[in-house]
Every structure is written in structure tokens, then in C-alpha cells.
Amino acid sequence: MFTAFLIKYAEIGIKGKNRHLFEDALMHQIKFALKKCEGKFSIHKSQGRIYVEAQGEFDYDETVKSLKNVFGISGICPVVYVEDEGFEKLCDTVVRYIADVYPDREKTFKVHARRARKDYPKESMEINADLGEAILNAYPEMSVDVHDPEILLCVEIREKIYLYSETIPGPGGMPVGTGGKAMLLLSGGIDSPVAGYMIAKRGVKIDAVYFHAPPYTSERAKQKVVDLARIVSAYAGPVWLHVINFTDIQLYIHEKCPHEELTIIMRRYMMRIAEHIAMETGCLGLITGESIGQVASQTLNSLIATNEVCELPVYRPLIGFDKQEIVEVAQKIGTFETSILPYEDCCTIFVAKHPVTKPNVNIIRRHEHNLDEGIEELVKTALETKELIVAE
Ligand code: ATP
Ligand code: MG
């Protein structure tokens, strides 16, 4: 029955020139989201509205599911297109629409007509009244409520006539691409995919970097991160995932630095390398899945130590979340099941039994001096040998 969707979006802050950027980015993201859906679609803008129109057969449920992933959409209205074959015919179609969409018809309603085409023989008020009457005649159990109707039946008179009354909630947020780009430090854990999702929701495009430590971390651990990037791409668009071979750097730090500071120093090198790639690729910030106090390397003192090696801002959208709250989002967005697969984590391989929880930055810096030029060389090699995978 439905062959199109009217896309609603919150218009706050998109006045003037911004409006175009917002709408174009939204249409671009819709196109990407529908690429994997069965059927062909045309996406077009008309009089300040965006319509997604199926060209022939399509899978309704799959299409709605994909549209619900597109940030910037506040609501999705399934639309029935009717050929303009006279008002009588329109009345019949509207009566049938009510029967199909509302099997339980004991409801209040209101008809809201809009004429985008002024040569239509009836004015909006007249259309409202006459269609209302047709509905009441067909279904005496229904009643009109113009102030707070349970069903608001919209009738748009264009080349064709559009009928819609239902709004499926969208995810909100801003269309990806309207807010620049940032680099996500993506591990195989629960937190970082959620962090990436949250920043992408604000319109920021996401690139990612993963630190891989073969043979201590397996191919399967890496594949898990690629899979997570792909799940995030359903919301964020294609994710460029940079895979850094971190093994030699880790072994070298292990050899030269006190074990209880290993995690912190390793994290500092991850941040440095991530920032390097971020700056080369036009990213405006880094993103991590850190949350205060979750582990020793995420106390406020530890965060000072990992933060100070970067110039770019580090966005930590989960900073005040409990684990359970993060898990709930992970389940909602579909990353949880993949995140809990039990493959080794590069961070946990060399962890000390008693890592420092209150690292002193001066001491950390002094111990990093032990790494001298050796580390520079290893970082350079790691950057030169990085692998790029486009997850989508
Ligand atoms: P996550 O669930 O995201 O792995 P975590 O609770 O295991 O987080 P840590 O291992 O301390 O926490 O990592 C903190 C953050 O550092 C992660 O959220 C992620 O952003 C980044 N990170 C950790 N390990 C890696 C890695 N191997 N590759 C890329 N980023 C990483
Ligand atoms: Mg982790």
C-alpha cells in the first residue's frame, strides 16, 4: 500500500545557508542507508520536504529499519500515493486507507489538507470538511476532534495526492557529514563502538584506528574490530579503519618501562599515533570509549596522563556513563553481541597485576625518556606499515 516516505527533520538551527547543507547531507546519508535494501528508490526534495519514493517492489520493513538508522531524521511517515482521478475517487481511497491502517476504528480524527497545486478545484478547508464527512459516513464509530485527534490524516495535493497519518520515530541527531570528521580509537570492546555511535549522531563523520598486536592478538580479534566498524557504519556511513601493528612498540615499552606504568605509557602512544593519523586525514578530534573510574587507566589522574600527549581535543562521550548504561546502548545499536566475543584485547595482554591508578605525569614522562630514539623509529615503521580497511 505505502510506496513512499515523507522524511521529517528537526529544523532548529538550520536556517539560511545551513539548511541546504543539512538537507543535502541528509539525502546523501539516506541514499547510503538504502543501498543495502531490496528495491530501487528515488530521493528528492520538494518544497522544503524530503521524500523517499520506492520505484516498484521493495521491502517495507527493511526500508523502515534502515531509515531509522539515519541521524537527522526525526520522523518517518509512510505515504500512499493516489492518482488524481476526481474527488469522488479520493473519498473512496481515503475511506479504504482508514480501514487498512486502523482496523480498530473507534478513534477521533482530523483531516489536514494542503494544496501544493493551487489549480485543484477545492480549497483546503473544503477538502477537510468533505473528506471528514466521507469518513464519518463510512465509519459512524469515529468522531472528529480538531484540537487533539488520535489520527491526523494529512492530504497533500500535488501532481499526485499524498496520504499519510502515521509517524515512525527517527533517531534524531544531525546528518553525518554536517559536523566535520573525528578519529575514533576503536578496540574490540563494548565501549568504543558506542562512543563512535554517539559522536556520529551529532553529525560527525567517523574514521577509526585499531591497534593490533599479532601474534598476541589473533586475526579473529582484528576481524571483530572490522565487524564492529561495519555495524557502526550502518549509522555513520563508511568507516575508514586504519589498522596499526602495535606489537613492536608494546614489546619495547614492556622491556624499557616499569610494568605498573605499562598500560598508561601504551595508551599515550596510542593517542600520539591516532592524533598523527587524525591530523593527516583532516580529523578535528579524537574519540575514545573511556569512562571515569572504569579501569585503572581511566581515573582522573590517568586521564591527565593520556590526555596531555595530544593537541587535538579528545571526545569521551561515555565519560559519565555506568557500564550498564553503555551496555544498553550497545544492545540497542547492535554492537554488543560482537563486542563480547572472547578474543584477546591488545590492551590487556601486557597488563601489570597492579597498574598505577594515580600516575604522576612527571614520573611517566621521565620513564618514557628510557625509550629514547628507539621508539621514534618504531612509531615511524608502524605508521608506514598501517593497513587501511573501508568498513561499510
Ligand atoms: P573498550 O570497551 O572500548 O575496549 P575498555 O573499557 O576496554 O574500552 P580500555 O581498554 O582502557 O577500556 O581502553 C580505553 C579506550 O582506549 C577504548 O575505549 C578505546 O577508545 C581505546 N583503545 C583501547 N585499546 C585499543 C586498541 N587496541 N585499538 C584502538 N583503540 C583502543
Ligand atoms: Mg578495551
Side-chain angles (χ1 to χ4, degrees), residues 94-130:
V94 164
V95 165
R96 218 169 338 109
Y97 174 97
I98 296 284
D100 288 345
V101 182
Y102 304 101
D104 166 27
R105 279 187 290 279
E106 268 188 43
K107 288 189 159 48
T108 60
F109 76 98
K110 172 183 172 180
V111 179
H112 177 68
R114 283 198 348 158
R115 287 189 312 165
R117 176 158 68 80
K118 298 294 174 202
D119 63 357
Y120 195 77
K122 283 178 192 273
E123 286 193 11
S124 305
M125 294 298 275
E126 209 181 337
I127 302 172
N128 290 344
D130 293 352

CSV table of all heavy atoms in Angstrom, one decimal, residues 94-130:
chain,number,residue,atom,x,y,z
A,94,VAL,N,-9.6,7.4,0.6
A,94,VAL,CA,-9.4,7.8,1.9
A,94,VAL,C,-10.1,6.8,2.9
A,94,VAL,O,-9.6,6.4,3.9
A,94,VAL,CB,-9.8,9.3,2.2
A,94,VAL,CG1,-10.0,9.6,3.6
A,94,VAL,CG2,-8.8,10.2,1.5
A,95,VAL,N,-11.3,6.5,2.5
A,95,VAL,CA,-12.1,5.6,3.4
A,95,VAL,C,-11.4,4.2,3.5
A,95,VAL,O,-11.3,3.6,4.5
A,95,VAL,CB,-13.6,5.4,2.8
A,95,VAL,CG1,-14.3,4.2,3.4
A,95,VAL,CG2,-14.3,6.7,3.0
A,96,ARG,N,-10.9,3.8,2.3
A,96,ARG,CA,-10.2,2.5,2.3
A,96,ARG,C,-8.9,2.6,3.1
A,96,ARG,O,-8.5,1.7,3.8
A,96,ARG,CB,-9.9,2.0,0.9
A,96,ARG,CG,-10.0,0.6,0.7
A,96,ARG,CD,-10.0,0.1,-0.8
A,96,ARG,NE,-10.4,1.1,-1.7
A,96,ARG,CZ,-9.5,1.7,-2.6
A,96,ARG,NH1,-8.2,1.3,-2.6
A,96,ARG,NH2,-9.9,2.5,-3.5
A,97,TYR,N,-8.2,3.7,3.0
A,97,TYR,CA,-6.9,3.9,3.8
A,97,TYR,C,-7.2,3.8,5.3
A,97,TYR,O,-6.5,3.1,6.0
A,97,TYR,CB,-6.4,5.4,3.5
A,97,TYR,CG,-5.2,5.8,4.3
A,97,TYR,CD1,-3.9,5.6,3.8
A,97,TYR,CD2,-5.3,6.3,5.6
A,97,TYR,CE1,-2.8,6.0,4.5
A,97,TYR,CE2,-4.2,6.6,6.4
A,97,TYR,CZ,-3.0,6.5,5.8
A,97,TYR,OH,-1.9,6.9,6.6
A,98,ILE,N,-8.3,4.4,5.7
A,98,ILE,CA,-8.6,4.3,7.2
A,98,ILE,C,-8.9,2.9,7.6
A,98,ILE,O,-8.4,2.4,8.6
A,98,ILE,CB,-9.9,5.2,7.5
A,98,ILE,CG1,-9.6,6.6,7.2
A,98,ILE,CG2,-10.4,4.9,8.9
A,98,ILE,CD1,-8.8,7.4,8.3
A,99,ALA,N,-9.6,2.1,6.7
A,99,ALA,CA,-9.9,0.7,7.0
A,99,ALA,C,-8.6,-0.1,7.1
A,99,ALA,O,-8.4,-0.9,8.0
A,99,ALA,CB,-10.8,0.1,6.0
A,100,ASP,N,-7.7,0.2,6.2
A,100,ASP,CA,-6.4,-0.6,6.1
A,100,ASP,C,-5.5,-0.3,7.3
A,100,ASP,O,-4.9,-1.2,7.9
A,100,ASP,CB,-5.7,-0.3,4.8
A,100,ASP,CG,-6.4,-1.0,3.6
A,100,ASP,OD1,-7.3,-1.8,3.9
A,100,ASP,OD2,-6.1,-0.6,2.5
A,101,VAL,N,-5.3,1.0,7.6
A,101,VAL,CA,-4.3,1.4,8.6
A,101,VAL,C,-4.9,1.3,10.0
A,101,VAL,O,-4.1,1.1,11.0
A,101,VAL,CB,-3.8,2.8,8.3
A,101,VAL,CG1,-2.7,3.2,9.3
A,101,VAL,CG2,-3.3,2.9,6.9
A,102,TYR,N,-6.2,1.4,10.2
A,102,TYR,CA,-6.8,1.4,11.5
A,102,TYR,C,-7.9,0.4,11.6
A,102,TYR,O,-9.1,0.7,11.6
A,102,TYR,CB,-7.3,2.8,11.9
A,102,TYR,CG,-6.2,3.9,11.8
A,102,TYR,CD1,-6.2,4.7,10.7
A,102,TYR,CD2,-5.3,4.0,12.8
A,102,TYR,CE1,-5.1,5.7,10.6
A,102,TYR,CE2,-4.2,4.9,12.7
A,102,TYR,CZ,-4.2,5.8,11.6
A,102,TYR,OH,-3.2,6.7,11.5
A,103,PRO,N,-7.5,-0.9,11.8
A,103,PRO,CA,-8.5,-1.9,11.9
A,103,PRO,C,-9.5,-1.6,13.1
A,103,PRO,O,-10.7,-1.9,13.0
A,103,PRO,CB,-7.7,-3.2,12.1
A,103,PRO,CG,-6.3,-2.9,11.8
A,103,PRO,CD,-6.1,-1.4,11.9
A,104,ASP,N,-8.9,-1.1,14.2
A,104,ASP,CA,-9.8,-0.7,15.3
A,104,ASP,C,-10.1,0.8,15.1
A,104,ASP,O,-9.2,1.7,15.3
A,104,ASP,CB,-9.0,-0.9,16.6
A,104,ASP,CG,-9.7,-0.2,17.7
A,104,ASP,OD1,-10.9,0.0,17.6
A,104,ASP,OD2,-9.0,0.2,18.7
A,105,ARG,N,-11.3,1.1,14.7
A,105,ARG,CA,-11.6,2.4,14.2
A,105,ARG,C,-12.2,3.4,15.2
A,105,ARG,O,-12.6,4.5,14.9
A,105,ARG,CB,-12.5,2.4,13.0
A,105,ARG,CG,-11.6,2.1,11.7
A,105,ARG,CD,-12.5,2.2,10.5
A,105,ARG,NE,-13.4,1.1,10.4
A,105,ARG,CZ,-13.1,-0.1,10.0
A,105,ARG,NH1,-11.9,-0.4,9.6
A,105,ARG,NH2,-14.1,-1.1,9.9
A,106,GLU,N,-12.4,2.9,16.5
A,106,GLU,CA,-13.0,3.8,17.5
A,106,GLU,C,-12.1,4.8,17.9
A,106,GLU,O,-11.5,4.9,19.0
A,106,GLU,CB,-13.5,2.9,18.7
A,106,GLU,CG,-14.9,2.5,18.4
A,106,GLU,CD,-15.6,1.8,19.6
A,106,GLU,OE1,-15.4,2.4,20.7
A,106,GLU,OE2,-16.2,0.8,19.4
A,107,LYS,N,-11.9,5.8,17.0
A,107,LYS,CA,-10.8,6.8,17.2
A,107,LYS,C,-11.3,8.2,16.8
A,107,LYS,O,-12.2,8.3,16.0
A,107,LYS,CB,-9.6,6.5,16.4
A,107,LYS,CG,-8.8,5.3,17.0
A,107,LYS,CD,-7.5,5.2,16.3
A,107,LYS,CE,-6.4,4.4,17.0
A,107,LYS,NZ,-6.7,3.1,17.5
A,108,THR,N,-10.7,9.2,17.4
A,108,THR,CA,-11.0,10.6,16.9
A,108,THR,C,-10.0,10.9,15.8
A,108,THR,O,-8.9,10.4,15.8
A,108,THR,CB,-10.9,11.6,18.1
A,108,THR,OG1,-9.5,11.5,18.5
A,108,THR,CG2,-11.8,11.3,19.2
A,109,PHE,N,-10.4,11.8,14.9
A,109,PHE,CA,-9.6,12.1,13.8
A,109,PHE,C,-9.8,13.6,13.3
A,109,PHE,O,-10.7,14.3,13.7
A,109,PHE,CB,-9.8,11.2,12.6
A,109,PHE,CG,-11.1,11.5,11.9
A,109,PHE,CD1,-11.0,12.2,10.7
A,109,PHE,CD2,-12.3,11.1,12.3
A,109,PHE,CE1,-12.2,12.5,10.0
A,109,PHE,CE2,-13.5,11.3,11.6
A,109,PHE,CZ,-13.4,12.1,10.5
A,110,LYS,N,-8.8,14.0,12.5
A,110,LYS,CA,-8.9,15.3,11.9
A,110,LYS,C,-8.3,15.2,10.5
A,110,LYS,O,-7.2,14.5,10.4
A,110,LYS,CB,-8.2,16.3,12.7
A,110,LYS,CG,-8.0,17.7,12.1
A,110,LYS,CD,-7.2,18.6,13.0
A,110,LYS,CE,-6.9,19.9,12.4
A,110,LYS,NZ,-6.1,20.8,13.3
A,111,VAL,N,-8.9,15.8,9.5
A,111,VAL,CA,-8.2,15.8,8.2
A,111,VAL,C,-7.5,17.1,8.0
A,111,VAL,O,-8.0,18.2,8.4
A,111,VAL,CB,-9.3,15.7,7.1
A,111,VAL,CG1,-8.6,15.7,5.7
A,111,VAL,CG2,-10.1,14.4,7.2
A,112,HIS,N,-6.3,17.0,7.5
A,112,HIS,CA,-5.5,18.2,7.3
A,112,HIS,C,-5.0,18.2,5.9
A,112,HIS,O,-4.1,17.5,5.5
A,112,HIS,CB,-4.3,18.3,8.3
A,112,HIS,CG,-3.4,19.4,8.1
A,112,HIS,ND1,-3.7,20.7,8.3
A,112,HIS,CD2,-2.1,19.5,7.6
A,112,HIS,CE1,-2.8,21.5,8.0
A,112,HIS,NE2,-1.7,20.8,7.6
A,113,ALA,N,-5.7,19.1,5.0
A,113,ALA,CA,-5.3,19.1,3.6
A,113,ALA,C,-4.4,20.3,3.3
A,113,ALA,O,-4.5,21.3,4.0
A,113,ALA,CB,-6.6,19.2,2.8
A,114,ARG,N,-3.5,20.1,2.4
A,114,ARG,CA,-2.6,21.2,1.9
A,114,ARG,C,-2.6,21.1,0.4
A,114,ARG,O,-2.4,20.0,-0.2
A,114,ARG,CB,-1.2,20.9,2.4
A,114,ARG,CG,-1.0,21.3,3.8
A,114,ARG,CD,0.5,21.4,4.2
A,114,ARG,NE,1.5,21.0,3.2
A,114,ARG,CZ,2.7,21.4,3.1
A,114,ARG,NH1,3.1,22.4,4.0
A,114,ARG,NH2,3.5,21.0,2.2
A,115,ARG,N,-2.7,22.3,-0.2
A,115,ARG,CA,-2.7,22.3,-1.7
A,115,ARG,C,-1.3,22.8,-2.1
A,115,ARG,O,-1.1,24.0,-1.9
A,115,ARG,CB,-3.8,23.2,-2.3
A,115,ARG,CG,-5.2,22.5,-2.2
A,115,ARG,CD,-6.2,23.3,-2.9
A,115,ARG,NE,-6.0,24.8,-2.6
A,115,ARG,CZ,-6.6,25.7,-3.4
A,115,ARG,NH1,-7.3,25.4,-4.4
A,115,ARG,NH2,-6.4,27.0,-3.0
A,116,ALA,N,-0.5,22.0,-2.7
A,116,ALA,CA,0.8,22.5,-3.3
A,116,ALA,C,0.5,22.9,-4.7
A,116,ALA,O,1.3,23.6,-5.3
A,116,ALA,CB,1.8,21.4,-3.3
A,117,ARG,N,-0.7,22.6,-5.2
A,117,ARG,CA,-1.1,22.9,-6.6
A,117,ARG,C,-2.4,23.7,-6.4
A,117,ARG,O,-3.4,23.1,-6.0
A,117,ARG,CB,-1.3,21.5,-7.3
A,117,ARG,CG,-1.9,21.6,-8.7
A,117,ARG,CD,-1.5,20.3,-9.4
A,117,ARG,NE,-2.2,19.1,-8.9
A,117,ARG,CZ,-3.4,18.7,-9.2
A,117,ARG,NH1,-4.1,19.5,-10.0
A,117,ARG,NH2,-3.9,17.6,-8.7
A,118,LYS,N,-2.3,24.9,-6.8
A,118,LYS,CA,-3.5,25.8,-6.5
A,118,LYS,C,-4.6,25.7,-7.5
A,118,LYS,O,-5.7,26.2,-7.3
A,118,LYS,CB,-3.1,27.3,-6.4
A,118,LYS,CG,-2.0,27.5,-5.3
A,118,LYS,CD,-2.7,27.3,-3.9
A,118,LYS,CE,-1.6,27.4,-2.8
A,118,LYS,NZ,-1.9,26.8,-1.5
A,119,ASP,N,-4.4,24.9,-8.6
A,119,ASP,CA,-5.5,24.7,-9.6
A,119,ASP,C,-6.4,23.6,-9.2
A,119,ASP,O,-7.4,23.3,-9.9
A,119,ASP,CB,-4.9,24.5,-11.0
A,119,ASP,CG,-4.1,23.2,-11.1
A,119,ASP,OD1,-4.0,22.5,-10.0
A,119,ASP,OD2,-3.6,22.9,-12.2
A,120,TYR,N,-6.2,23.0,-8.0
A,120,TYR,CA,-7.2,22.0,-7.6
A,120,TYR,C,-8.6,22.6,-7.3
A,120,TYR,O,-8.6,23.7,-6.7
A,120,TYR,CB,-6.7,21.3,-6.3
A,120,TYR,CG,-7.3,20.0,-6.0
A,120,TYR,CD1,-7.0,18.8,-6.7
A,120,TYR,CD2,-8.3,19.9,-5.0
A,120,TYR,CE1,-7.7,17.6,-6.5
A,120,TYR,CE2,-9.0,18.7,-4.8
A,120,TYR,CZ,-8.7,17.6,-5.5
A,120,TYR,OH,-9.3,16.4,-5.2
A,121,PRO,N,-9.6,22.0,-7.8
A,121,PRO,CA,-11.0,22.6,-7.7
A,121,PRO,C,-11.5,23.0,-6.3
A,121,PRO,O,-12.4,23.8,-6.2
A,121,PRO,CB,-11.9,21.7,-8.5
A,121,PRO,CG,-11.1,20.4,-8.6
A,121,PRO,CD,-9.7,20.7,-8.5
A,122,LYS,N,-11.0,22.3,-5.3
A,122,LYS,CA,-11.5,22.6,-3.9
A,122,LYS,C,-10.4,23.3,-3.1
A,122,LYS,O,-9.2,23.0,-3.3
A,122,LYS,CB,-11.9,21.4,-3.2
A,122,LYS,CG,-13.2,20.8,-3.7
A,122,LYS,CD,-13.5,19.5,-2.9
A,122,LYS,CE,-14.7,18.7,-3.5
A,122,LYS,NZ,-16.0,19.2,-2.9
A,123,GLU,N,-10.8,24.2,-2.2
A,123,GLU,CA,-9.8,24.8,-1.3
A,123,GLU,C,-9.6,23.8,-0.1
A,123,GLU,O,-10.4,22.9,0.2
A,123,GLU,CB,-10.4,26.1,-0.8
A,123,GLU,CG,-10.3,27.2,-1.8
A,123,GLU,CD,-10.5,28.5,-1.2
A,123,GLU,OE1,-10.6,28.7,0.0
A,123,GLU,OE2,-10.7,29.5,-2.0
A,124,SER,N,-8.5,24.1,0.6
A,124,SER,CA,-8.1,23.2,1.7
A,124,SER,C,-9.2,22.9,2.7
A,124,SER,O,-9.5,21.8,3.1
A,124,SER,CB,-6.9,23.7,2.5
A,124,SER,OG,-5.9,23.9,1.5
A,125,MET,N,-9.9,24.0,3.2
A,125,MET,CA,-10.9,23.9,4.2
A,125,MET,C,-12.1,23.0,3.7
A,125,MET,O,-12.6,22.2,4.5
A,125,MET,CB,-11.5,25.3,4.5
A,125,MET,CG,-10.5,26.2,5.2
A,125,MET,SD,-10.0,25.6,6.8
A,125,MET,CE,-11.3,26.2,7.8
A,126,GLU,N,-12.4,23.2,2.4
A,126,GLU,CA,-13.5,22.4,1.9
A,126,GLU,C,-13.1,20.9,1.8
A,126,GLU,O,-13.9,20.0,2.1
A,126,GLU,CB,-13.7,23.0,0.5
A,126,GLU,CG,-15.1,22.8,-0.1
A,126,GLU,CD,-15.2,23.4,-1.5
A,126,GLU,OE1,-14.4,24.2,-1.9
A,126,GLU,OE2,-16.1,22.9,-2.2
A,127,ILE,N,-11.8,20.7,1.4
A,127,ILE,CA,-11.4,19.3,1.3
A,127,ILE,C,-11.5,18.7,2.7
A,127,ILE,O,-11.9,17.5,2.9
A,127,ILE,CB,-9.9,19.2,0.8
A,127,ILE,CG1,-9.8,19.9,-0.6
A,127,ILE,CG2,-9.4,17.8,0.8
A,127,ILE,CD1,-8.4,20.1,-1.1
A,128,ASN,N,-11.0,19.4,3.7
A,128,ASN,CA,-11.1,18.9,5.1
A,128,ASN,C,-12.5,18.5,5.5
A,128,ASN,O,-12.7,17.4,6.0
A,128,ASN,CB,-10.6,20.0,6.1
A,128,ASN,CG,-9.1,20.3,6.0
A,128,ASN,OD1,-8.4,19.5,5.4
A,128,ASN,ND2,-8.7,21.4,6.6
A,129,ALA,N,-13.4,19.4,5.2
A,129,ALA,CA,-14.8,19.1,5.6
A,129,ALA,C,-15.4,18.0,4.8
A,129,ALA,O,-16.0,17.1,5.4
A,129,ALA,CB,-15.6,20.4,5.3
A,130,ASP,N,-15.2,17.9,3.5
A,130,ASP,CA,-15.8,16.9,2.7
A,130,ASP,C,-15.2,15.5,2.9
A,130,ASP,O,-15.9,14.5,3.0
A,130,ASP,CB,-15.7,17.3,1.2
A,130,ASP,CG,-16.5,18.5,0.9
A,130,ASP,OD1,-17.3,19.0,1.8
A,130,ASP,OD2,-16.4,19.1,-0.2
